[in-house]
Amino acid sequence: MIVRAKKKKRGSCKKRRGKKNIRKISAKIIDIFSGVWNGAVPDAYVIEHKGLVTKEIVVIDEGKDSNATILNKAMEKEEYLSGIKRGKNMREALEGWCYLHSDLDEEKSRKFDFEGEKAKGIDELCFEFEDKTAVVVSALPQDDADRMATLLSKLYSIGGDNTGLGLDIKHFCNSHKMRGRPPRGFMTSFGLLSIIEGGLASLYNNTKVNVENGDDVLFDILGEMEAILHDWLEENHPDILRQLKKDNEKYYGNVPPYADEGRMISPRVVISWMLGNEPHRDPKDNGLSIVLWVVGKDDIQKVSQDNWRFVFQNLSTGTGNERRDTTSIPLFHGIIIIYDGKKIRHATTVSLTNMVNKFGIFHGSTNPQGNKKHNPNKA
């Protein structure tokens, strides 16, 4: 029997949302190829793609140090744009080029320190454009964030008391064929892979077997993670939750074995670990994504988050001389960001020391493989 997180009694969503202290920011999305974009260009070339480097060795001259892992170089905008392969179904990323520090250039980018804003009583940041919300920045309650950290740590490690699943490498990297191997870290998908004959769905290999170690059970862990985020959305952004579920209609009602149908955000969850990647867009996305970042359970009390930021390369704020065409958001334990990855180019900065375990939990809307063949009129 799969045990789910208990659903708490809640009052009126309208009343709760009315109590929020929301900072609204006027913004717009600028096409980086339009000729008017003047945002931050990546400044770090990752010399070799590796899942984890304990300590990066950064050089400014290529070839000076055979042990170097990152080349720190100021690239001209024209050189950067000319190197990107473009296409409707392409991520439009310049392979290996990531943000290290250039997203902090105050002439090109604007940093929004939501953790600092929270300390001043701000509950959410809402970036708005054309009368619509482009990006929401919020956070899980501390106890829920800590619980997510515990669940993720159980997935990927075994404690001294022999608890946890300690999943092996195949559970880390099955998303690489879809997204390309990231310069740093791993990404993996759990849940439904494709639509097959009759509108049924197939599973990712790592979701076919319910791994167990004593009281720790894979489907229990994934199910509780799904429920925690679902309930947060239901309480704080029911309209976004409804839209996410609507965007995932092409899965034809199929539900992964770990999920409770009534408390499911999407039929697939992507989990990242120690991610650092290039600015890109997600052409296969079918709507909004919600991403939660947490640290490992043993890292919660650590102060420094080690050069950990999420960058919207073409999200512009301000006007006139105060206009900045890139937005950088420092990440911290429990932060949530909601955005449309098909429209807004985004990236996670490369960390330098990797002394803190960093996880991302991504839910969104993606057209499943096989959908067009199954129902071409609705693909």
Coordinates of all heavy atoms in Angstrom, one line a residue, residues 300-376:
I300 N 21.0 21.9 5.0 CA 19.9 23.0 5.2 C 20.5 24.1 6.0 O 20.2 25.3 5.8 CB 18.7 22.3 5.9 CG1 18.0 21.4 4.9 CG2 17.7 23.4 6.4 CD1 16.9 20.6 5.5
Q301 N 21.3 23.8 7.0 CA 21.8 24.9 7.9 C 23.0 25.6 7.4 O 23.5 26.6 8.0 CB 22.1 24.3 9.3 CG 21.0 23.6 10.0 CD 19.8 24.6 10.2 OE1 19.9 25.7 10.4 NE2 18.6 24.0 10.0
K302 N 23.5 25.2 6.2 CA 24.7 25.9 5.6 C 24.3 27.2 5.0 O 23.3 27.3 4.4 CB 25.4 25.0 4.6 CG 26.0 23.7 5.2 CD 26.7 22.9 4.2 CE 27.2 21.6 4.8 NZ 27.9 20.7 3.8
V303 N 25.1 28.2 5.2 CA 24.7 29.6 4.8 C 24.9 29.8 3.4 O 24.0 30.3 2.6 CB 25.5 30.6 5.7 CG1 25.2 32.0 5.2 CG2 25.2 30.5 7.2
S304 N 26.1 29.5 2.8 CA 26.4 29.9 1.5 C 25.8 28.9 0.5 O 25.8 27.7 0.7 CB 27.9 29.8 1.3 OG 28.2 30.0 -0.1
Q305 N 25.2 29.4 -0.6 CA 24.6 28.6 -1.6 C 25.5 28.6 -2.8 O 25.1 28.1 -3.9 CB 23.2 29.0 -2.0 CG 22.2 28.9 -0.8 CD 22.2 27.5 -0.2 OE1 22.4 26.5 -0.8 NE2 21.9 27.5 1.1
D306 N 26.7 29.1 -2.7 CA 27.8 28.8 -3.7 C 27.4 29.2 -5.1 O 27.3 28.3 -6.0 CB 28.2 27.3 -3.6 CG 29.3 27.0 -4.5 OD1 30.2 27.8 -4.7 OD2 29.4 25.8 -5.0
N307 N 27.3 30.5 -5.4 CA 27.1 30.9 -6.8 C 25.9 30.2 -7.5 O 26.0 29.8 -8.6 CB 28.4 30.6 -7.6 CG 28.5 31.4 -8.9 OD1 28.5 32.7 -8.8 ND2 28.7 30.8 -10.0
W308 N 24.8 30.1 -6.8 CA 23.6 29.3 -7.2 C 22.5 30.3 -7.6 O 21.9 30.9 -6.8 CB 23.2 28.4 -6.1 CG 22.2 27.3 -6.4 CD1 22.1 26.8 -7.6 CD2 21.3 26.7 -5.5 NE1 21.1 25.8 -7.6 CE2 20.6 25.7 -6.3 CE3 21.0 26.8 -4.2 CZ2 19.7 24.9 -5.7 CZ3 20.1 26.0 -3.6 CH2 19.4 25.1 -4.4
R309 N 22.3 30.5 -8.9 CA 21.3 31.4 -9.4 C 20.6 30.8 -10.6 O 21.1 30.0 -11.3 CB 21.9 32.8 -9.8 CG 22.6 33.5 -8.6 CD 23.2 34.8 -9.1 NE 24.2 34.7 -10.1 CZ 25.5 34.3 -9.9 NH1 25.9 34.0 -8.7 NH2 26.3 34.2 -10.9
F310 N 19.3 31.3 -10.8 CA 18.6 30.9 -12.0 C 18.4 32.2 -12.8 O 18.0 33.3 -12.3 CB 17.2 30.4 -11.6 CG 16.5 29.7 -12.7 CD1 17.0 28.5 -13.2 CD2 15.3 30.1 -13.2 CE1 16.3 27.8 -14.1 CE2 14.6 29.4 -14.2 CZ 15.1 28.2 -14.7
V311 N 18.8 32.1 -14.1 CA 18.9 33.3 -14.9 C 17.9 33.2 -16.1 O 17.8 32.2 -16.8 CB 20.3 33.4 -15.5 CG1 20.5 34.7 -16.3 CG2 21.4 33.4 -14.4
F312 N 17.1 34.3 -16.2 CA 16.2 34.5 -17.3 C 16.9 35.4 -18.3 O 17.0 36.6 -18.1 CB 14.9 35.0 -16.9 CG 14.0 34.1 -16.1 CD1 13.7 34.3 -14.8 CD2 13.5 32.9 -16.7 CE1 13.0 33.4 -14.1 CE2 12.8 32.0 -16.0 CZ 12.5 32.3 -14.7
Q313 N 17.5 34.8 -19.3 CA 18.4 35.6 -20.2 C 17.7 36.7 -20.9 O 18.3 37.8 -21.1 CB 19.0 34.7 -21.2 CG 20.1 35.3 -22.0 CD 20.8 34.4 -23.0 OE1 20.1 33.5 -23.6 NE2 22.1 34.5 -23.2
N314 N 16.4 36.6 -21.3 CA 15.7 37.6 -22.1 C 14.5 38.1 -21.4 O 13.6 38.6 -22.1 CB 15.3 37.0 -23.5 CG 14.4 35.8 -23.4 OD1 14.4 35.1 -22.4 ND2 13.6 35.6 -24.4
L315 N 14.5 38.1 -20.0 CA 13.4 38.7 -19.3 C 13.8 40.1 -18.9 O 14.7 40.3 -18.1 CB 13.0 37.9 -18.1 CG 11.8 38.4 -17.3 CD1 10.5 38.3 -18.1 CD2 11.7 37.7 -15.9
S316 N 13.3 41.1 -19.5 CA 13.7 42.5 -19.4 C 12.8 43.3 -18.4 O 11.6 43.1 -18.4 CB 13.6 43.2 -20.8 OG 14.0 44.6 -20.7
T317 N 13.5 44.1 -17.5 CA 12.8 44.9 -16.6 C 13.3 46.3 -16.7 O 14.5 46.5 -17.1 CB 12.9 44.4 -15.2 OG1 14.3 44.4 -14.8 CG2 12.4 43.0 -15.0
G318 N 12.5 47.3 -16.3 CA 13.0 48.7 -16.3 C 12.8 49.3 -17.6 O 12.5 48.6 -18.6
T319 N 12.9 50.6 -17.7 CA 12.7 51.4 -18.9 C 13.9 52.4 -19.1 O 14.5 52.8 -18.1 CB 11.4 52.1 -19.0 OG1 11.3 53.0 -17.9 CG2 10.2 51.1 -19.0
G320 N 14.0 52.9 -20.3 CA 15.1 53.9 -20.5 C 16.4 53.5 -20.1 O 16.9 52.3 -20.4
N321 N 17.2 54.4 -19.4 CA 18.5 54.0 -18.9 C 18.5 52.9 -17.9 O 19.6 52.4 -17.6 CB 19.2 55.3 -18.4 CG 19.5 56.3 -19.5 OD1 19.6 55.9 -20.7 ND2 19.5 57.6 -19.1
E322 N 17.3 52.7 -17.3 CA 17.3 51.7 -16.2 C 16.9 50.3 -16.7 O 16.7 49.3 -16.0 CB 16.2 52.1 -15.1 CG 16.6 53.4 -14.4 CD 18.0 53.2 -13.7 OE1 18.2 52.2 -13.0 OE2 18.8 54.1 -13.8
R323 N 16.7 50.2 -18.0 CA 16.3 48.9 -18.6 C 17.5 47.9 -18.6 O 18.6 48.2 -18.9 CB 15.9 49.1 -20.1 CG 15.2 47.8 -20.7 CD 14.9 48.0 -22.1 NE 15.8 47.2 -23.0 CZ 15.8 47.3 -24.3 NH1 15.0 48.1 -24.9 NH2 16.6 46.5 -25.0
R324 N 17.1 46.7 -18.1 CA 18.1 45.6 -18.1 C 17.4 44.4 -18.7 O 16.3 44.0 -18.3 CB 18.6 45.3 -16.6 CG 19.2 46.4 -15.9 CD 20.6 46.8 -16.5 NE 21.2 47.9 -15.8 CZ 21.0 49.2 -16.1 NH1 20.2 49.6 -17.1 NH2 21.7 50.1 -15.4
D325 N 18.1 43.7 -19.6 CA 17.4 42.7 -20.5 C 17.6 41.3 -20.0 O 17.2 40.3 -20.6 CB 17.9 42.8 -21.9 CG 17.3 44.1 -22.6 OD1 16.4 44.7 -22.0 OD2 17.8 44.4 -23.7
T326 N 18.3 41.1 -18.9 CA 18.5 39.8 -18.2 C 18.1 39.9 -16.8 O 18.3 41.0 -16.1 CB 19.9 39.3 -18.4 OG1 20.2 39.1 -19.7 CG2 20.2 38.0 -17.6
T327 N 17.5 38.9 -16.2 CA 17.1 38.8 -14.8 C 17.7 37.6 -14.2 O 17.7 36.5 -14.7 CB 15.5 38.7 -14.8 OG1 14.9 39.8 -15.4 CG2 15.1 38.5 -13.3
S328 N 18.4 37.9 -13.0 CA 19.1 36.9 -12.3 C 18.4 36.7 -10.9 O 18.2 37.7 -10.2 CB 20.6 37.2 -12.1 OG 21.3 36.2 -11.5
I329 N 18.1 35.5 -10.5 CA 17.5 35.3 -9.2 C 18.3 34.3 -8.4 O 18.4 33.1 -8.7 CB 16.1 34.7 -9.4 CG1 15.2 35.6 -10.3 CG2 15.4 34.4 -8.1 CD1 13.9 35.1 -10.7
P330 N 18.9 34.7 -7.3 CA 19.6 33.8 -6.4 C 18.7 32.7 -5.9 O 17.6 33.0 -5.4 CB 20.2 34.7 -5.3 CG 20.2 36.1 -5.9 CD 19.0 36.1 -6.8
L331 N 19.2 31.5 -5.9 CA 18.4 30.4 -5.4 C 18.7 30.1 -4.0 O 19.8 30.4 -3.5 CB 18.7 29.1 -6.3 CG 18.3 29.3 -7.8 CD1 18.8 28.0 -8.5 CD2 16.8 29.5 -8.0
F332 N 17.8 29.5 -3.3 CA 17.9 29.1 -1.9 C 17.0 28.0 -1.6 O 16.1 27.6 -2.4 CB 17.7 30.3 -0.9 CG 16.3 30.9 -1.0 CD1 15.3 30.4 -0.2 CD2 16.1 32.0 -1.9 CE1 14.0 31.0 -0.3 CE2 14.8 32.5 -1.9 CZ 13.8 32.0 -1.1
H333 N 17.2 27.4 -0.5 CA 16.4 26.2 -0.1 C 14.9 26.5 0.0 O 14.5 27.4 0.8 CB 16.9 25.7 1.3 CG 16.2 24.5 1.9 ND1 16.1 23.3 1.2 CD2 15.5 24.4 3.1 CE1 15.4 22.5 2.0 NE2 15.1 23.1 3.1
G334 N 14.1 25.9 -0.8 CA 12.7 26.1 -0.8 C 12.1 27.1 -1.8 O 10.9 27.2 -1.9
I335 N 12.9 27.7 -2.6 CA 12.4 28.7 -3.5 C 11.7 28.0 -4.7 O 12.1 26.9 -5.1 CB 13.6 29.6 -4.1 CG1 13.0 30.8 -5.0 CG2 14.6 28.8 -4.9 CD1 14.1 31.8 -5.4
I336 N 10.6 28.6 -5.1 CA 9.8 28.1 -6.3 C 9.7 29.2 -7.3 O 9.5 30.4 -7.1 CB 8.4 27.8 -5.8 CG1 8.4 26.5 -4.9 CG2 7.4 27.6 -7.0 CD1 7.0 26.2 -4.3
I337 N 9.9 28.8 -8.6 CA 9.8 29.7 -9.7 C 8.9 29.1 -10.8 O 9.0 27.9 -11.1 CB 11.1 30.0 -10.4 CG1 12.1 30.6 -9.3 CG2 11.0 31.0 -11.5 CD1 13.4 31.0 -9.8
I338 N 7.9 29.8 -11.2 CA 6.9 29.4 -12.2 C 7.1 30.2 -13.5 O 7.2 31.5 -13.4 CB 5.5 29.5 -11.7 CG1 5.3 28.7 -10.4 CG2 4.5 29.1 -12.8 CD1 4.0 29.0 -9.7
Y339 N 7.3 29.6 -14.7 CA 7.6 30.3 -15.9 C 7.3 29.5 -17.1 O 7.0 28.3 -17.0 CB 9.1 30.7 -15.9 CG 10.0 29.5 -15.9 CD1 10.6 29.0 -17.1 CD2 10.3 28.8 -14.7 CE1 11.4 27.9 -17.2 CE2 11.2 27.7 -14.8 CZ 11.7 27.3 -16.0 OH 12.5 26.1 -16.0
D340 N 7.3 30.1 -18.3 CA 7.1 29.4 -19.5 C 8.5 29.2 -20.2 O 9.0 30.1 -20.8 CB 6.2 30.1 -20.4 CG 5.7 29.4 -21.7 OD1 6.5 28.5 -22.1 OD2 4.7 29.6 -22.2
G341 N 9.0 28.0 -20.1 CA 10.3 27.7 -20.7 C 10.4 27.7 -22.2 O 11.5 27.7 -22.7
K342 N 9.3 27.7 -22.8 CA 9.3 27.8 -24.3 C 9.5 29.2 -24.8 O 10.1 29.5 -25.8 CB 8.0 27.2 -24.9 CG 8.0 27.0 -26.4 CD 6.7 26.3 -26.8 CE 6.8 25.9 -28.3 NZ 5.6 25.1 -28.7
K343 N 9.1 30.2 -24.0 CA 9.2 31.6 -24.3 C 10.4 32.3 -23.7 O 10.9 33.2 -24.3 CB 7.9 32.3 -23.9 CG 6.6 31.8 -24.7 CD 5.4 32.5 -24.2 CE 4.1 32.0 -24.9 NZ 2.9 32.7 -24.4
I344 N 10.7 31.9 -22.5 CA 11.7 32.6 -21.7 C 13.0 31.7 -21.7 O 13.0 30.6 -21.2 CB 11.3 32.9 -20.3 CG1 9.9 33.6 -20.3 CG2 12.3 33.8 -19.6 CD1 9.3 33.9 -19.0
R345 N 14.1 32.3 -22.2 CA 15.4 31.6 -22.1 C 15.9 31.5 -20.7 O 15.8 32.5 -20.0 CB 16.4 32.2 -23.0 CG 16.0 32.1 -24.5 CD 17.0 32.9 -25.4 NE 18.4 32.5 -25.2 CZ 18.9 31.4 -25.9 NH1 18.1 30.8 -26.8 NH2 20.1 31.1 -25.7
H346 N 16.4 30.4 -20.2 CA 16.7 30.2 -18.8 C 17.9 29.3 -18.7 O 18.3 28.6 -19.6 CB 15.5 29.6 -18.1 CG 15.0 28.4 -18.7 ND1 14.1 28.4 -19.8 CD2 15.1 27.1 -18.4 CE1 13.8 27.2 -20.1 NE2 14.4 26.3 -19.3
A347 N 18.6 29.5 -17.5 CA 19.8 28.7 -17.2 C 20.0 28.7 -15.7 O 19.5 29.5 -15.0 CB 21.0 29.3 -17.9
T348 N 20.8 27.7 -15.3 CA 21.3 27.6 -13.9 C 22.8 27.9 -13.9 O 23.5 27.2 -14.7 CB 21.0 26.2 -13.2 OG1 19.6 26.0 -13.4 CG2 21.3 26.3 -11.8
T349 N 23.3 28.8 -13.1 CA 24.7 29.1 -13.1 C 25.5 27.9 -12.7 O 25.1 27.0 -12.0 CB 25.0 30.2 -12.1 OG1 24.4 29.9 -10.8 CG2 24.3 31.5 -12.6
V350 N 26.8 27.9 -13.1 CA 27.7 26.9 -12.7 C 28.3 27.2 -11.3 O 28.7 28.4 -11.1 CB 28.9 26.8 -13.7 CG1 30.0 25.8 -13.2 CG2 28.3 26.3 -15.0
S351 N 28.3 26.3 -10.4 CA 28.9 26.5 -9.1 C 30.4 26.2 -9.1 O 30.9 25.5 -9.9 CB 28.2 25.6 -8.0 OG 26.8 26.0 -7.9
L352 N 31.1 26.8 -8.1 CA 32.5 26.7 -8.1 C 33.1 25.6 -7.2 O 34.1 24.9 -7.5 CB 33.1 28.0 -7.7 CG 33.0 29.1 -8.7 CD1 33.5 30.4 -8.2 CD2 33.6 28.8 -10.1
T353 N 32.4 25.3 -6.1 CA 33.0 24.3 -5.1 C 32.1 23.1 -4.9 O 32.6 22.1 -4.5 CB 33.2 25.0 -3.8 OG1 32.0 25.5 -3.2 CG2 34.2 26.1 -3.9
N354 N 30.8 23.2 -5.2 CA 29.9 22.1 -5.1 C 30.0 21.4 -3.7 O 30.0 20.2 -3.7 CB 30.2 21.1 -6.2 CG 29.9 21.7 -7.6 OD1 28.8 22.2 -7.8 ND2 30.8 21.6 -8.5
M355 N 30.0 22.2 -2.7 CA 30.0 21.6 -1.3 C 28.7 21.4 -0.7 O 28.5 20.8 0.3 CB 30.8 22.6 -0.4 CG 32.3 22.8 -0.9 SD 33.2 21.2 -1.0 CE 33.4 20.8 0.7
V356 N 27.6 21.8 -1.4 CA 26.3 21.7 -1.0 C 25.5 20.9 -2.0 O 25.5 21.2 -3.2 CB 25.6 23.1 -0.7 CG1 24.1 22.9 -0.4 CG2 26.3 23.8 0.4
N357 N 24.7 19.9 -1.7 CA 23.9 19.2 -2.6 C 22.7 20.0 -3.0 O 22.0 20.6 -2.1 CB 23.4 17.9 -1.9 CG 24.4 16.8 -2.0 OD1 24.7 16.2 -3.0 ND2 24.9 16.4 -0.8
K358 N 22.5 20.2 -4.3 CA 21.5 21.1 -4.8 C 20.5 20.3 -5.7 O 21.0 19.6 -6.7 CB 22.1 22.2 -5.6 CG 23.2 23.0 -4.8 CD 23.7 24.1 -5.7 CE 24.9 24.7 -5.1 NZ 26.1 23.9 -5.2
F359 N 19.3 20.3 -5.4 CA 18.3 19.6 -6.2 C 17.3 20.6 -6.8 O 16.9 21.6 -6.2 CB 17.5 18.6 -5.4 CG 18.3 17.5 -4.8 CD1 18.8 17.6 -3.5 CD2 18.6 16.3 -5.5 CE1 19.5 16.5 -2.9 CE2 19.3 15.3 -5.0 CZ 19.8 15.4 -3.7
G360 N 16.8 20.2 -8.0 CA 15.7 20.9 -8.6 C 14.6 19.9 -9.0 O 14.9 18.8 -9.4
I361 N 13.3 20.3 -8.7 CA 12.2 19.4 -9.0 C 11.3 20.2 -10.0 O 10.7 21.2 -9.7 CB 11.4 19.0 -7.8 CG1 12.3 18.3 -6.7 CG2 10.2 18.1 -8.1 CD1 12.9 19.2 -5.7
F362 N 11.3 19.7 -11.3 CA 10.6 20.3 -12.4 C 9.3 19.6 -12.7 O 9.3 18.4 -13.0 CB 11.5 20.4 -13.6 CG 12.8 21.1 -13.5 CD1 13.8 20.6 -12.7 CD2 13.0 22.3 -14.1 CE1 15.0 21.2 -12.6 CE2 14.2 22.9 -14.0 CZ 15.2 22.4 -13.2
H363 N 8.2 20.4 -12.8 CA 6.9 19.9 -13.3 C 6.5 20.8 -14.4 O 6.6 22.0 -14.3 CB 5.8 19.9 -12.3 CG 5.9 18.8 -11.2 ND1 6.7 18.9 -10.1 CD2 5.4 17.5 -11.2 CE1 6.6 17.8 -9.4 NE2 5.8 17.0 -10.0
G364 N 6.0 20.3 -15.5 CA 5.6 21.1 -16.6 C 4.6 20.4 -17.5 O 4.0 19.4 -17.1
S365 N 4.6 20.9 -18.7 CA 3.7 20.3 -19.7 C 4.5 20.1 -21.0 O 5.0 21.0 -21.6 CB 2.6 21.3 -20.0 OG 2.0 21.9 -18.8
T366 N 4.6 18.8 -21.3 CA 5.4 18.4 -22.5 C 4.5 17.4 -23.3 O 3.9 16.5 -22.8 CB 6.7 17.7 -22.1 OG1 7.4 18.6 -21.3 CG2 7.5 17.4 -23.3
N367 N 4.5 17.6 -24.6 CA 3.8 16.7 -25.5 C 4.5 15.3 -25.4 O 5.7 15.2 -25.7 CB 3.8 17.2 -27.0 CG 2.9 18.4 -27.2 OD1 2.0 18.6 -26.4 ND2 3.2 19.2 -28.2
P368 N 3.8 14.3 -25.0 CA 4.5 13.0 -24.9 C 4.9 12.4 -26.2 O 4.2 12.6 -27.3 CB 3.4 12.1 -24.2 CG 2.1 12.7 -24.6 CD 2.4 14.2 -24.7
Q369 N 5.9 11.6 -26.3 CA 6.3 10.9 -27.5 C 5.1 10.0 -27.9 O 4.5 9.4 -27.0 CB 7.5 10.0 -27.2 CG 8.8 10.8 -26.8 CD 9.9 9.8 -26.5 OE1 10.1 8.8 -27.2 NE2 10.7 10.2 -25.5
G370 N 4.9 9.9 -29.2 CA 3.8 9.1 -29.7 C 2.4 9.7 -29.7 O 1.5 9.1 -30.3
N371 N 2.3 10.9 -29.2 CA 1.0 11.6 -29.2 C 0.5 11.9 -30.6 O -0.7 11.7 -30.9 CB 1.0 12.9 -28.3 CG -0.3 13.6 -28.3 OD1 -1.3 13.1 -27.9 ND2 -0.3 14.8 -28.9
K372 N 1.4 12.4 -31.4 CA 1.0 12.8 -32.8 C 0.5 11.6 -33.6 O -0.5 11.6 -34.3 CB 2.2 13.4 -33.5 CG 1.8 14.0 -34.8 CD 3.0 14.8 -35.4 CE 2.6 15.5 -36.7 NZ 3.8 16.2 -37.3
K373 N 1.2 10.4 -33.4 CA 0.8 9.2 -34.1 C -0.5 8.7 -33.6 O -1.4 8.2 -34.3 CB 1.9 8.1 -33.9 CG 1.6 6.8 -34.6 CD 2.7 5.8 -34.4 CE 2.4 4.5 -35.1 NZ 3.5 3.5 -34.9
H374 N -0.7 8.8 -32.2 CA -2.0 8.3 -31.6 C -3.2 9.2 -32.0 O -4.2 8.7 -32.3 CB -1.8 8.3 -30.1 CG -3.1 8.0 -29.4 ND1 -3.8 6.8 -29.5 CD2 -3.9 8.8 -28.7 CE1 -4.9 6.9 -28.8 NE2 -5.0 8.1 -28.3
N375 N -3.0 10.5 -32.0 CA -4.1 11.4 -32.3 C -3.6 12.6 -33.0 O -3.5 13.7 -32.4 CB -4.8 11.8 -31.0 CG -6.2 12.3 -31.2 OD1 -6.5 12.8 -32.3 ND2 -7.1 12.2 -30.2
P376 N -3.3 12.5 -34.3 CA -2.7 13.6 -35.0 C -3.5 14.9 -35.0 O -2.9 16.0 -35.1 CB -2.5 13.0 -36.4 CG -3.5 11.9 -36.5 CD -3.6 11.4 -35.2

